[in-house]
Amino acid sequence: MISRRDFLQVSMAASAMVGASGFGNWSRLAAKQSLTQDDLLQFDTYGNVSLIHITDIHAQLKPIYFREPEINLGVGDAFGHVPHVTGADFRKLYGIADGSPSAYALTYNDFTAMAQTYGRVGGMDRVSTVINSIRADRPDALLLDGGDTWHGSYTCHHTQGQDVVNVMNALKPDAMTFHWEFTLGSDRVNEIVEGLPFAALGQNIFDAEWDEPAELFKPYKFFERGGVNIAVIGQAFPYMPIANPRWMFPEYSFGIRDENMQAMVDEVRGMGAELVVVLSHNGFDVDKKMAGKVSGIDVILSGHTHDALPEPVLVGDTIIVASGSNGKFISRVDLDVRDGKMMGFQTKLIPIFSDVIAPDPVITKLIDEQRAPYINELTEVIGQTDSLLYRRGNFNGTWDDLICQALIEEREADISMSPGVRWGPSILPGQDITREDIWNVTSMSYGEAYRTEMTGEFIKVILEDVGDNLFNVDPYYQQGGDMVRIGGMGYSIDVFKPQGSRISDMTLLKTGESIDPAKTYQVAGWASVNEGTEGPMIWDVVEDHIRRKGTVHVEPHENVKVTGA
């Protein structure tokens, strides 16, 4: 008799063959071949339950450009496996044709030329059109938001998240979980959550004083859809107090808490759940490990690491779905649930091509209303770029190179540091740089640009610590994000060595001299998690720099030598 795992594996293979997973049959369209909204939304309805997943929007309400990473290394068991496959290797793995729409959406090669062919992506009014189409086909589909929603733009910062809250409420999600939202401060988060018309979930959000589940954030919620009793369990970002300022939300603690997750799965199963869905902000590799440790989860909707995968990954009896970031993708997941078991699935990762998908006029109007009080500030041109500005990649991106150079020149530093965050749209060569563009890559509630003295030894400690957060072979010790960006200094990194031994050949670029562990250097940076950090705001530093330059040019460099890339 066939096992359920065998059945799911057959389901995955069949989906891949018939084009019901991934991008569907249009993924091989040649460049410049006509692509229609119907192509993007075509889906053969399957089973009796539909999930709609969107995650890591980072407050991007309008269409943008967004380049996928060139380098995304995996270590340990993750080496060579998705999502740690990029470029041509990614296209070969999924059978994606060079120059196709899916090559543009999912890989970095020839990005500028392909962006000029296929245009911008995202826009929450286009997202709304896709959601409405799915709901027209499956009216009781569940819309689930994976978090990192109320953060990342000029208007989000100035409204303390209200602009995005208003737009998301209009899309009528059924539940969400959290990460960057907490950097609004716990008082503001509590205020918003108390007024949400949908579930705010996090089985790992605890009261820090009593080490008990936080009352405001329920661990799970039940939904009945397609005659199926569904439990959705929330999993907020586990490392909030480490990666972000603990002092902004001191009454809360987090952690992976997989023992509690198992208890929640067992509890909802005991209450009659026929389908268990985890709405997660763990990051993909952490979700893979959790799926192997916690039994009884049918679907994990993965967020945090911004991975976009055309097909789910199967771990035991659990499928893991990764839906990208910045409003660039939506995943539709159709499930066949019978006799209390998930027996099969079909999925589609839907890219939001802004020039192809018609905007929902109701949401367009709502977005414009949020932006109207700030439109003059948003659209002011600060300068131009003759280089492609992008962020994603394990070790560097041209946006961060520009930010690091601004810190060195405007703050009169030897060395600069910029956090390895993965959010922030791209800008094409020849485009104007507006104030909105600058805020899209710098906006946060602790954006002070500090200037301080650090010894060479301490700089190495920082690099080793961040490197271990990224390249520890145990996913439970990884916090997501990328390597801290460095300006004014070069170094080598061996990602396969243990902590304390990865970083070598640290060099001060302006002199060519080796970094002296005992010598003190002037270092400028931003996004310190320490309370009371002083300095001008990073967006002002970058704006002053770009305005002074007029047109910015970012030369490609190889200041970071990587073993393992």
Side-chain angles (χ1 to χ4, degrees):
M1 181 176 179
I2 189 170
S3 70
R4 186 161 78 101
R5 174 169 170 77
D6 290 337
F7 195 98
L8 293 175
Q9 287 176 324
V10 170
S11 177
M12 177 174 285
S15 290
M17 286 188 293
V18 303
S21 68
F23 274 2
N25 294 322
W26 62 269
S27 66
R28 295 179 180 273
L29 287 173
K32 299 186 180 179
Q33 186 170 335
S34 177
L35 179 66
T36 69
Q37 180 170 303
D38 289 342
D39 292 327
L40 295 178
L41 300 183
Q42 191 279 327
F43 191 93
D44 295 327
T45 304
Y46 175 79
N48 48 353
V49 172
S50 290
L51 309 176
I52 309 169
H53 182 226
I54 189 166
T55 189
D56 296 275
I57 296 166
H58 287 286
Q60 297 304 312
L61 302 180
K62 303 288 282 186
I64 59 170
Y65 295 107
F66 190 87
R67 179 188 187 266
E68 295 298 325
E70 182 172 350
I71 298 176
N72 184 12
L73 298 179
V75 294
D77 293 340
F79 180 76
H81 296 284
V82 294
H84 306 288
V85 181
T86 64
D89 292 335
F90 189 99
R91 295 194 298 276
K92 181 179 179 181
L93 180 66
Y94 288 106
I96 295 171
D98 293 350
S100 66
S102 52
Y104 168 58
L106 284 165
T107 58
Y108 68 90
N109 308 85
D110 301 320
F111 180 81
T112 297
M114 294 184 72
Q116 292 167 344
T117 298
Y118 293 115
R120 287 178 167 84
V121 295
M124 297 310 294
D125 49 0
R126 277 78 167 177
V127 167
S128 179
T129 296
V130 175
I131 292 170
N132 291 340
S133 174
I134 297 171
R135 284 172 168 161
D137 182 47
R138 181 65 65 75
D140 61 354
L142 279 176
L143 174 58
L144 302 172
D145 173 9
D148 275 3
T149 305
W150 318 329
H151 157 269
S153 74
Y154 184 97
T155 54
C156 186
H157 181 86
H158 285 81
T159 64
Q160 292 189 290
Q162 195 62 50
D163 65 327
V164 191
V165 171
N166 293 343
V167 172
M168 290 304 295
N169 284 355
L171 299 184
K172 300 179 181 178
D174 294 285
M176 75 175 291
T177 194
F178 303 90
H179 173 198
W180 274 91
E181 288 79 7
F182 275 88
T183 64
L184 292 171
S186 53
D187 288 345
R188 177 60 176 151
V189 172
N190 294 347
E191 178 187 10
I192 295 175
V193 168
E194 286 170 357
L196 287 179
F198 53 86
L201 302 179
Q203 70 85 23
N204 60 333
I205 305 177
F206 272 50
D207 181 295
E209 181 177 1
W210 299 102
D211 195 33
E212 295 177 347
E215 292 185 3
L216 189 59
F217 301 90
K218 302 305 180 186
Y220 56 79
K221 183 171 181 178
F222 276 91
F223 302 89
E224 185 173 340
R225 296 289 192 274
V228 177
N229 202 16
I230 305 167
V232 177
I233 303 175
Q235 176 77 357
F237 180 55
Y239 305 109
M240 208 98 63
I242 301 171
N244 305 102
R246 182 190 301 266
W247 56 269
M248 291 185 167
F249 38 87
E251 65 269 48
Y252 293 111
S253 66
F254 301 87
I256 296 171
R257 301 185 187 269
D258 50 14
E259 291 183 0
N260 194 64
M261 175 64 78
Q262 184 67 71
M264 293 300 98
V265 173
D266 294 345
E267 184 172 308
V268 298
R269 288 289 186 188
M271 296 168 67
E274 299 168 277
L275 180 74
V276 176
V277 177
V278 172
L279 181 60
S280 173
H281 206 89
N282 275 338
F284 196 85
D285 289 342
V286 178
D287 281 328
K288 283 180 66 178
K289 180 171 179 177
M290 189 175 71
K293 290 174 67 70
V294 178
S295 62
I297 300 172
D298 295 301
V299 181
I300 297 178
L301 302 175
S302 187
H304 178 60
T305 40
H306 293 198
D307 308 299
L309 297 180
E311 296 172 6
V313 169
L314 184 63
V315 178
D317 290 340
T318 304
I319 65 168
I320 306 176
V321 176
S323 306
S325 68
N326 288 268
K328 186 177 177 180
F329 300 97
I330 285 179
S331 285
R332 175 174 176 172
V333 183
D334 275 20
L335 305 166
D336 177 16
V337 183
R338 285 178 274 147
D339 300 323
K341 293 182 179 180
M342 183 181 75
M343 298 305 297
F345 62 87
Q346 290 188 10
T347 69
K348 186 173 185 179
L349 180 68
I350 304 170
I352 310 300
F353 287 117
S354 308
D355 294 341
V356 176
I357 297 174
D360 176 346
V362 173
I363 303 301
T364 301
K365 181 175 183 291
L366 180 59
I367 291 170
D368 290 345
E369 288 171 354
Q370 313 309 306
R371 293 167 57 84
Y374 309 99
I375 197 67
N376 292 335
E377 293 85 355
L378 289 167
T379 57
E380 182 177 346
V381 175
I382 308 303
Q384 290 78 33
T385 178
D386 63 10
S387 305
L388 173 64
L389 299 180
Y390 63 90
R391 170 159 276 161
R392 279 300 309 275
N394 280 159
F395 300 102
N396 65 283
T398 50
W399 251 127
D400 289 301
D401 291 340
L402 177 59
I403 292 170
C404 283
Q405 192 59 36
L407 284 164
I408 288 175
E409 294 187 21
E410 306 299 322
R411 300 291 282 147
E412 298 181 343
D414 302 314
I415 296 167
S416 59
M417 297 183 179
S418 188
V421 295
R422 294 187 171 186
W423 42 267
S426 307
I427 300 182
L428 303 185
Q431 276 192 263
D432 289 335
I433 302 174
T434 66
R435 180 171 291 113
E436 179 173 26
D437 295 326
I438 295 170
W439 278 74
N440 280 345
V441 293
T442 59
S443 177
M444 62 169 62
S445 55
Y446 51 104
E448 291 83 3
Y450 60 83
R451 182 176 183 269
T452 189
E453 293 184 344
M454 294 184 187
T455 64
E457 180 183 20
F458 187 64
I459 294 170
K460 184 176 188 297
V461 167
I462 292 174
L463 294 178
E464 290 283 2
D465 283 352
V466 178
D468 197 59
N469 290 340
L470 186 59
F471 299 116
N472 194 299
V473 295
D474 185 345
Y476 277 16
Y477 289 92
Q478 298 173 8
Q479 296 174 18
D482 286 310
M483 192 66 182
V484 60
R485 278 54 165 124
I486 296 290
M489 195 191 90
Y491 67 93
S492 297
I493 179 170
D494 186 336
V495 301
F496 298 114
K497 287 187 175 180
Q499 184 177 15
S501 304
R502 292 187 177 96
I503 307 298
S504 62
D505 302 325
M506 295 167 56
T507 305
L508 188 64
L509 295 180
K510 68 181 180 181
T511 66
E513 297 174 349
S514 296
I515 296 292
D516 184 342
K519 186 176 179 180
T520 297
Y521 300 88
Q522 293 291 338
V523 178
W526 64 289
S528 170
V529 299
N530 297 321
E531 189 172 7
T533 299
E534 296 181 351
M537 303 308 289
I538 185 60
W539 42 84
D540 292 330
V541 173
V542 176
E543 180 174 319
D544 289 346
H545 180 74
I546 294 173
R547 196 183 294 278
R548 183 164 59 82
K549 295 288 185 181
T551 298
V552 298
H553 178 76
V554 184
E555 289 282 356
H557 66 79
E558 297 181 357
N559 297 333
V560 181
K561 310 291 186 183
V562 183
T563 300

